[in-house]
Amino acid sequence: MSKIVDEIMSANADYVAGFGDKGDLPMPPGRHFAILTCMDARLDPAKYAGLAEGDAHVIRNAGGRASDDAIRSLVISYKLLGTREWFVIHHTDCGMLTFDDETMSDLLSRSLETATVDETGWHDSDAGGGTTEGRYVKWLTISDNAKSVVADVERIRANPMVPSNIPVYGYIYDCKTGELVEVPEATAAGRAS
């Protein structure tokens, strides 16, 4: 086993020892809301939103974007599990701001090895063994944080599976301070009717 597996299994044993009555938590989130946010390891939605286990659904992907799969999860969150409010939370210093679709597909075409980044941009090892499949993916990169939050809230609001009575709020998490900063245009676009 790897060192990481050992660390995870050790942490899990400690967690199990103090698990208590968490096995009795109901499936629907107790506070009836969902958060769509980025997978960035610096973001801890439980801490920045004051969550405990069982409180809310947290849906994460690269950039916290309103992809088809994220919307699928939000619709399930509402339709089957009763959430009544949704938050779209992007963040400062997001890796999705550092490339575009063409860059990603170009890197993948050169090799499947991990790329590196420096002040001049992304670089590949050119080790070979790449694929052109990246050209067929919409990577949902970000060029402006506030605009992407607005676009995602608007996409969610416009989806015919999303009831008009669910408010969708838009925020940007500041990685330097931990503050959630509202994007008023997004929250206005996501207003319930």
Side-chain angles (χ1 to χ4, degrees), residues 62-110:
R65 301 307 309 268
S67 64
D68 289 347
D69 191 59
I71 292 172
R72 175 190 72 91
S73 294
L74 288 168
V75 169
I76 290 168
S77 176
Y78 160 77
K79 184 69 176 173
L80 301 181
L81 297 164
T83 58
R84 297 187 295 260
E85 298 178 80
W86 298 343
F87 292 77
V88 173
I89 302 174
H90 293 192
H91 67 95
T92 60
D93 194 34
C94 185
M96 297 301 284
L97 286 157
T98 67
F99 67 97
D100 57 23
D101 285 7
E102 185 179 342
T103 301
M104 186 64 167
S105 62
D106 188 46
L107 288 168
L108 285 166
S109 71
R110 291 192 184 133

Side-chain angles (χ1 to χ4, degrees), residues 36 64-67 70-71 74-75 86-88 149-163 166-169 189-190:
L36 169 59
R65 301 307 309 268
S67 64
I71 292 172
L74 288 168
V75 169
W86 298 343
F87 292 77
V88 173
V149 172
V150 172
D152 283 348
V153 169
E154 288 175 343
R155 182 161 195 260
I156 292 166
R157 172 55 63 223
N159 190 293
M161 295 183 291
V162 174
I166 295 180
V168 184
Y169 309 104

Side-chain angles (χ1 to χ4, degrees), residues 121-132:
W122 286 97
H123 308 284
D124 199 86
S125 67
D126 294 322
T131 179
T132 59

